[in-house]
Amino acid sequence: MDSLEWFKKTRMIVGEDLYQVIKSKMQIEQHSVNEVLTKIGDKGNKFYVILKGLVGVFVRNEDQLTMINVCKEGEGMGELSIMSNKSRMATLVCLTDCVISTLTASQYKRYVMQNDIQRINNLVDLCDKVSLFNSLNRQVKIMLMLCMKEVEIVRKQIIYKQAQQAKNLYIIIEGSIKLCLKEGSKQKTLCVISDNEIFGDLMGKEVYQETAECESQSCRLLMISRKTLQKVLQSTNSQGILEEMKQIAHIKYCFRTQLKESTSLLQYEQQNIYEPFESTRTLFYSNGIYLSDKMVIRSNRHVMQSILNRSKIRRPVICVSVIERKSKLDSGLRLSSCHK
């Protein structure tokens, strides 16, 4: 029990004495495959930690239940309804025979809840920094972030390769990721992205369009499958974000690949293009989404119209033309608008 993730984290946060008290209050339950632990609409009277087995998390999608996540050994479940004093938002079903440790709602509130509130607030704060998710309400953000898994990688570790089957999306918590494109026998760097950026299977393609590699000494990521993201957004009537994500990803892909080949239009501060999209030093901006930072464009209107034509996006785009850039803080800027 002590080696499982939830228990290790709880022990580290609350200290040894309180940890032993929490363990002593827990009840061990045996559940069979296909047994329902709790249903949508039930009162949140228990908190669960899986000791053995798998539990599916199902939400209502129109008139049927859709599984959006699978919880594994060492994961906690059922905290949201207890914290909010609202009915259950999901149905939990045992996918295998399970051994589960439980706390009553009152025990959870007394010993554990404050730490979980801080953890969930941190997740929502991270979600708020991803501009694509700004329109989601807090409950949807919490549901979405709880479906994500944290991954830690080290420098030069490959997250996925170009032409590999596309499955997952990633959010960078901390660190930087290099996106590369293979052209013949050569590997070409498209850009380096950093904190709060989202990458991966953004366009819903069968395969990844580029290779993603850890550029910093280490990197922390949140990972979610596109299917899970789609199910969560559909169940909360937020599926419009999927189309917006696809459109924005297509604009960025056109920008990174096709325009970079034209030296008459672009010049670089460095050999690589760095794209901290949330930076205040933004040179491309589309409907609240930052497209590029450290890049100099000499013929902005025609360039942006070309991007719009290729991406088939029908929205106004504000673009900034750099006349001269002597340093990071000294640039001559001119604003103009492109409409398709």
Side-chain angles (χ1 to χ4, degrees):
M1 182 184 291
D2 292 337
S3 63
L4 295 176
E5 189 66 20
W6 185 87
F7 292 94
K8 286 196 296 185
K9 286 186 176 180
T10 302
R11 189 179 206 165
M12 182 175 64
I13 292 170
V14 304
E16 186 64 29
D17 292 344
L18 183 53
Y19 172 70
Q20 294 301 330
V21 172
I22 293 170
K23 277 179 58 179
S24 70
K25 300 293 183 181
M26 291 183 128
Q27 300 295 314
I28 307 298
E29 300 178 355
Q30 306 275 346
H31 295 275
S32 302
V33 62
N34 294 328
E35 187 173 341
V36 176
L37 299 179
T38 186
K39 294 180 181 178
I40 294 173
D42 287 351
K43 183 179 180 181
N45 54 14
K46 278 186 182 180
F47 172 72
Y48 308 89
V49 182
I50 304 173
L51 303 182
K52 185 178 180 181
L54 300 172
V55 175
V57 181
F58 293 79
V59 296
R60 194 175 302 284
N61 188 0
E62 295 180 350
D63 295 329
Q64 61 183 7
L65 292 179
T66 301
M67 186 168 70
I68 62 169
N69 197 20
V70 176
C71 295
K72 303 176 178 63
E73 294 177 4
E75 294 189 35
M77 308 174 297
E79 65 270 45
L80 292 183
S81 61
I82 299 176
M83 282 191 274
S84 63
N85 289 317
K86 295 180 180 179
S87 57
R88 300 284 193 193
M89 295 174 59
T91 294
L92 303 179
V93 181
C94 295
L95 303 180
T96 64
D97 291 340
C98 292
V99 180
I100 294 176
S101 184
T102 66
L103 287 170
T104 65
S106 59
Q107 289 169 341
Y108 174 82
K109 288 179 179 179
R110 182 175 181 181
Y111 300 114
V112 181
M113 187 171 77
Q114 193 57 46
N115 296 315
D116 275 356
I117 288 174
Q118 184 60 49
R119 175 177 63 89
I120 287 173
N121 284 340
N122 290 341
L123 288 175
V124 173
D125 288 344
L126 176 60
C127 195
D128 287 340
K129 294 174 184 177
V130 180
S131 52
L132 186 67
F133 299 143
N134 282 346
S135 61
L136 299 177
N137 64 43
R138 181 179 174 83
Q139 284 298 105
V140 178
K141 288 178 181 177
I142 291 172
M143 187 184 300
L144 186 63
M145 299 302 278
L146 289 178
C147 288
M148 295 187 178
K149 310 295 182 187
E150 187 169 330
V151 180
E152 293 192 19
I153 56 175
V154 295
R155 183 173 173 79
K156 295 194 177 298
Q157 184 173 338
I158 301 295
I159 299 126
Y160 58 78
K161 292 185 177 181
Q162 184 179 345
Q164 180 182 329
Q165 183 182 1
K167 295 180 180 179
N168 300 320
L169 292 92
Y170 302 85
I171 296 174
I172 304 173
I173 303 174
E174 186 178 30
S176 57
I177 299 294
K178 179 168 66 175
L179 302 181
C180 304
L181 190 67
K182 189 173 183 180
E183 295 181 343
S185 60
K186 296 182 178 180
Q187 193 90 331
K188 178 180 179 181
T189 298
L190 296 177
C191 63
V192 178
I193 55 178
S194 55
D195 298 7
N196 310 319
E197 263 300 301
I198 185 169
F199 67 100
D201 182 20
L202 300 174
M203 293 190 284
K205 301 280 189 180
E206 291 186 3
V207 297
Y208 291 113
Q209 303 300 295
E210 71 284 311
T211 295
E213 177 184 325
C214 181
E215 175 75 0
S216 51
Q217 289 301 316
S218 62
C219 191
R220 291 170 56 222
L221 307 173
L222 286 175
M223 178 181 73
I224 187 172
S225 74
R226 186 180 177 88
K227 287 184 178 179
T228 298
L229 175 66
Q230 187 172 350
K231 289 174 182 177
V232 171
L233 295 177
Q234 285 177 344
S235 69
T236 56
N237 296 317
S238 307
Q239 57 266 39
I241 286 180
L242 290 171
E243 184 60 29
E244 183 178 356
M245 179 174 68
K246 184 177 179 179
Q247 292 176 345
I248 292 165
H250 193 68
I251 289 180
K252 291 182 180 181
Y253 187 74
C254 289
F255 184 79
R256 292 165 179 168
T257 56
Q258 310 222 2
L259 294 185
K260 192 175 178 184
E261 297 168 1
S262 175
T263 55
S264 64
L265 294 178
L266 306 176
Q267 66 183 34
Y268 309 103
E269 287 188 321
Q270 302 176 7
Q271 285 186 332
N272 295 333
I273 301 174
Y274 285 77
E275 296 191 14
F277 296 136
E278 306 300 332
S279 167
T280 56
R281 300 286 312 151
T282 303
L283 305 184
F284 274 84
Y285 182 84
S286 170
N287 197 27
I289 306 300
Y290 298 119
L291 298 182
S292 181
D293 185 32
K294 296 181 181 177
M295 182 167 289
V296 178
I297 304 296
R298 293 179 178 172
S299 178
N300 65 333
R301 189 174 187 84
H302 296 296
V303 170
M304 289 306 292
Q305 193 63 56
S306 176
I307 294 177
L308 290 173
N309 289 339
R310 280 197 298 275
S311 61
K312 299 179 181 179
I313 302 299
R314 297 183 178 275
R315 65 172 67 162
V317 173
I318 304 301
C319 48
V320 182
S321 174
V322 176
I323 302 168
E324 183 181 2
R325 189 179 181 122
K326 297 178 182 177
S327 69
K328 291 183 180 180
L329 299 177
D330 181 18
S331 301
L333 303 178
R334 182 173 66 253
L335 287 172
S336 64
S337 298
C338 290
H339 297 266
K340 185 176 180 183

